[in-house]
Amino acid sequence: MTIEVRGLSKKFGAFAALDNVSLDVPGGGLIALLGPSGSGKTTLLRLLAGLERPDAGSAWIDGVDLASQSARQRNVGLVFQHYALFRHLDVYENIAFALRVRKRPRAEVDARVRELLALIQLESFERRLPSQLSGGQRQRVALARALAARPRVLLLDEPFGALDAQVRAELRSWLRRLHDEIHLTTVFVTHDQDEAFEVADRVVVMNRGRIEQVGAPAEVFEHPANDFVMRFLGHVNVLEAELGDGRARIGDVTLAIDSAPGGPGRIYVRPHDVELARAPADGALAARVVRVTPLSSGLKVDLSVPALGSRLRADLDWERGAALGLRDGEDVFLSLRRARAFARPPSAAGEDTTADAA
Amino acid sequence: MTDALAMAARRSARVGPPLGAPIGPPIGAPIAATDEPAWVRRTVIGVAIGFVGLFVLVPLAAVVVEALRAGLAAYGRAIAEPAALSAVKLTFLASAIAVPLNVVFGVAAAWAIARFRFPGRSILITLIDLPLAVSPVIAGMVYLLLFGRQGLLGPWLTDHGIKVVFALPGIVLATTFVTFPFVARELIPLMESQGAEEEEAAIVLGATGWQTFVRVTLPKIKWGLWYGIVLCTARAMGEFGAVSVVSGHIRGRTATLPLHVEILYNEYEYQAAFAVASLLVVLALASLVARRVIARRVEVI
């Protein structure tokens, strides 16, 4: 089932939670709404579920205008951030709820609930109350409950937000596998970039009630549409610069970049695009190692760079880190493999504001 | 205003362990890190127990002793007397009407206040407390002024043969007025703290408004509601002031239990008065027990 959203807006008092948002979710797709808190992603989800009414705009699920349907008629599966399981009902009755209120025959209810209990691997927990389950188990019950009435689309609000890291990782890949099995059009909200990239086919980056960029994870990461997306997706070094003539000037240093807009702007450099060497090379800048921190993926190196008048972060993989053998306080030389520039203040999203330096 | 209500609710007995429940160290032992001298401890505990004994236990015991002074046979006769039985019946009848009315009102008011922001909301919250602030006698007077023979609606009611004052409707009205805060005050803080997410989940899962109320909201507030009903019932059966004004004290007809006790007492029938009063004591003790039992359930949820 496809979801189409056109020009949706929603205000809470003077605060524009959602500002003229349009979006297409293809049938069977798995889409992540990614953004900081207050960016409007949960509001969009609640509008689709019918828990809020839009001030303007429309949305369709499989061609049916949602304005013509109340929340209970939409048959949308919604999983709440804090699950909102019925605390007085056991696991079995929680999952059966949507079928019970539809007055389905007992045998049909039982068959469906058993099927879902098997799906979430909680067959032996059917008589437990929600308060007797762990967070990950509650999460799975909430998902089964949402799926019971065979919803047209599945909406997940920060589905893993309240879980610890290991359970999150397990549930993420479980959700991805589940989606590959049942092919239900799914929209999930998250503020966690790794989560969005790992689970979703497409990522919708949101900020202040607007959509900043839509694309496949790699596309969004490799070609951020603007400085917000650049900064939101992972750590980035930001340098104030004077842009013009395909160059960026920071103090006495000049960097070559393609087709940068003129005037004051910012240069963005990902930590893994900062290359370090022991020996000086052409165009390399002298730097001092402030601190080396081992991370799970490699080494994080904080550097002070006098020529740029600022500090930079460089990420090295283990091999390169071991080869260099850096220690705090040592002198190194750095070069920037790739730097991007965006005009400041950020103009409308588009390729012409992005420039890649060789 | 909501905060005031919530605080009032917190002050009520059910927050924290019920009185007398074992809380940690044995009675008389200092609780953690306090190093008051023994005599301070003993004095404070002694004062508390002494007060309860002097002002609560002794009078209650006196009621029972007086009631049984002339023997069990006399006690039985006083209670089985037609006027006494009629008072019991009237008391239960008035409560049986007033309490359900207040349950409906209380649930509706709590629902509206906890779930919606609407003009007049804070006024409604204030008005719910009004019967607790106003002397019950004044409440009775108001009904007298409205429905009495000389009252505003009196002539119209007389013309249509409807009797409110000095009859059951007046007693029910007065009882309802005096007891109407109890259910609502119990439910408002409870519903506010529980939030509406489960109700939202129910609606998205396809439940109608009524299904959501019966299957989700009611079970969530069940024990709080029972607690409110017990408080409300206890007060309804014991109410004296407001009912006294509107009932007319017609022995055997418009006298509720508390009024019947007064009538007997004024007629110097002390033993009978205390015998009937002991019934009220039993009802009060029963409601105390019910409160203790239910309060634990409210805490669990």
Side-chain angles (χ1 to χ4, degrees):
Chain A
M1 308 270 171
T2 59
I3 302 174
E4 285 169 73
V5 173
R6 290 290 172 271
L8 272 191
S9 295
K10 176 71 184 176
K11 278 190 178 181
F12 295 109
F15 174 70
L18 212 57
D19 186 5
N20 194 20
V21 161
S22 298
L23 180 68
D24 284 296
V25 184
L30 205 177
I31 283 229
L33 302 180
L34 175 63
S37 56
S39 60
K41 43 198 200 316
T42 296
T43 303
L44 178 52
L45 217 60
R46 289 174 63 86
L47 283 167
L48 290 174
L51 293 172
E52 308 282 355
R53 279 175 185 284
D55 297 331
S58 319
W60 295 263
I61 293 179
D62 207 32
V64 179
D65 188 349
L66 289 183
S68 66
Q69 293 183 319
S70 69
R72 72 178 193 89
Q73 293 166 330
R74 290 186 189 183
N75 195 16
V76 155
L78 176 61
V79 174
F80 289 77
Q81 184 173 3
H82 302 293
Y83 321 132
L85 293 175
F86 304 123
R87 66 191 90 183
H88 61 287
L89 298 179
D90 60 24
V91 168
Y92 186 101
E93 286 303 322
N94 261 286
I95 297 174
F97 189 89
L99 304 169
R100 295 252 190 261
V101 298
R102 286 171 173 78
K103 303 196 172 17
R104 293 285 168 75
R106 188 178 294 264
E108 183 193 328
V109 174
D110 192 62
R112 180 67 176 151
V113 173
R114 304 238 162 261
E115 188 186 333
L116 287 164
L117 281 170
L119 184 76
I120 61 172
Q121 297 148 13
L122 286 178
E123 288 105 325
S124 53
F125 291 75
E126 59 177 76
R127 291 299 160 211
R128 297 269 190 102
L129 288 174
S131 56
Q132 299 164 325
L133 300 176
S134 73
Q137 290 168 338
R138 286 180 208 181
Q139 174 60 52
R140 271 138 65 194
V141 173
L143 196 66
R145 183 180 71 173
L147 292 172
R150 303 184 191 282
R152 296 187 291 165
V153 299
L154 182 61
L155 309 174
L156 308 162
D157 188 3
E158 298 269 6
F160 315 120
L163 303 171
D164 56 52
Q166 202 181 339
V167 181
R168 280 172 89 113
E170 281 169 25
L171 275 176
R172 262 186 223 166
S173 52
W174 179 77
L175 176 66
R176 182 68 231 188
R177 283 200 309 275
L178 180 76
H179 180 262
D180 292 341
E181 277 171 37
I182 63 179
H183 294 296
L184 185 59
T185 309
T186 304
V187 178
F188 84 99
V189 158
T190 181
H191 61 264
D192 182 333
Q193 173 212 332
D194 294 339
E195 197 166 290
F197 281 16
E198 182 178 338
V199 179
D201 309 325
R202 284 159 71 76
V203 174
V204 178
V205 183
M206 296 187 69
N207 181 33
R208 296 185 186 183
R210 290 170 173 276
I211 291 178
E212 300 280 357
Q213 192 175 4
V214 182
E219 192 183 328
V220 173
F221 189 74
E222 290 297 317
H223 303 286
N226 55 39
D227 68 327
F228 173 81
V229 179
M230 183 81 204
R231 276 183 289 122
F232 189 70
L233 301 182
H235 189 86
V236 66
N237 297 300
V238 183
L239 301 166
E240 301 289 337
E242 192 67 32
L243 306 177
D245 298 335
R247 285 169 206 286
R249 270 184 302 282
I250 307 161
D252 297 333
V253 181
T254 302
L255 297 169
I257 44 177
D258 299 336
S259 63
R266 282 175 176 168
I267 304 284
Y268 298 82
V269 184
R270 293 264 182 231
H272 62 256
D273 287 329
V274 179
E275 196 154 14
L276 297 183
R278 285 286 187 187
D282 195 25
L285 302 170
R288 173 159 293 181
V289 175
V290 176
R291 187 173 164 77
V292 180
T293 313
L295 302 176
S296 59
S297 54
L299 290 183
K300 175 186 130 186
V301 185
D302 291 307
L303 303 152
S304 82
V305 189
L308 300 177
S310 66
R311 288 192 168 191
L312 290 186
R313 169 176 163 179
D315 286 352
L316 308 176
D317 56 33
W318 285 111
E319 249 172 75
R320 182 75 186 136
L324 283 172
L326 293 176
R327 286 169 191 233
D328 294 2
E330 287 182 328
D331 290 321
V332 287
F333 295 91
L334 71 82
S335 49
L336 305 179
R337 219 173 286 148
R338 187 183 196 189
R340 294 182 182 85
F342 300 98
R344 199 165 58 101
S347 62
E351 285 304 313
D352 57 356
T353 57
T354 313
D356 290 357
Chain B
M1 284 319 296
T2 320
D3 290 346
L5 269 180
M7 275 176 59
R10 245 173 272 134
R11 258 181 270 122
S12 80
R14 74 173 173 76
V15 176
L19 285 171
I23 17 172
I27 293 158
I31 298 168
T34 62
D35 49 1
E36 310 295 348
W39 66 269
V40 172
R41 236 158 51 215
R42 284 194 205 109
T43 309
V44 172
I45 295 170
V47 166
I49 290 177
F51 244 77
V52 171
L54 195 61
F55 289 97
V56 180
L57 287 182
V58 170
L60 276 183
V63 169
V64 176
V65 169
E66 285 295 324
L68 295 172
R69 182 173 293 258
L72 272 177
Y75 181 82
R77 245 180 285 125
I79 287 173
E81 188 220 354
L85 286 180
S86 142
V88 171
K89 238 163 57 186
L90 184 63
T91 298
F92 279 108
L93 183 61
S95 304
I97 300 171
V99 172
L101 281 178
N102 283 329
V103 167
V104 172
F105 164 79
V107 171
W111 177 283
I113 286 167
R115 294 282 181 270
F116 306 112
R117 299 288 175 268
F118 53 92
R121 181 174 174 272
S122 57
I123 295 174
L124 182 59
I125 295 172
T126 313
L127 284 180
I128 287 172
D129 278 350
L130 188 71
L132 296 178
V134 169
S135 162
V137 177
I138 294 169
M141 300 279 284
V142 170
Y143 284 117
L144 213 53
L145 286 174
L146 270 177
F147 301 116
R149 192 159 297 181
Q150 318 297 327
L152 277 175
L153 303 171
W156 187 89
L157 290 170
T158 313
D159 290 348
H160 291 76
I162 303 169
K163 215 162 158 18
V164 174
V165 167
F166 305 145
L168 179 67
I171 294 170
V172 169
L173 277 176
T175 307
T176 308
F177 177 87
V178 172
T179 56
F180 98 129
F182 291 98
V183 173
R185 282 175 61 110
E186 193 58 37
L187 292 184
I188 291 168
L190 182 66
M191 291 177 87
E192 285 193 329
S193 74
Q194 285 178 339
E197 257 206 343
E198 286 173 59
E199 277 85 351
E200 288 185 341
I203 288 165
V204 173
L205 287 167
T208 61
W210 179 248
Q211 283 173 324
T212 303
F213 180 73
V214 172
R215 288 171 179 264
V216 178
T217 307
L218 215 47
K220 270 168 72 182
I221 63 170
K222 183 169 66 177
W223 292 108
L225 184 59
W226 276 119
Y227 193 80
I229 289 173
V230 168
L231 292 183
C232 186
T233 308
R235 181 69 202 266
M237 295 203 282
E239 174 53 25
F240 179 83
V243 173
S244 167
V245 175
V246 294
S247 88
H249 294 72
I250 307 168
R251 189 173 174 159
R253 281 184 44 208
T254 66
T256 59
L257 271 178
L259 297 185
H260 189 60
V261 172
E262 192 209 15
I263 292 170
L264 289 173
Y265 189 84
N266 286 344
E267 291 171 356
Y268 304 104
E269 305 239 22
Y270 294 137
Q271 187 269 330
F274 281 110
V276 175
S278 72
L279 289 181
L280 283 169
V281 171
V282 169
L283 288 175
L285 291 178
S287 81
L288 272 182
V289 171
R291 278 173 69 170
R292 280 288 301 273
V293 171
I294 294 168
R296 282 185 204 158
R297 304 300 295 258
V298 176
E299 278 165 37
V300 168
I301 288 180

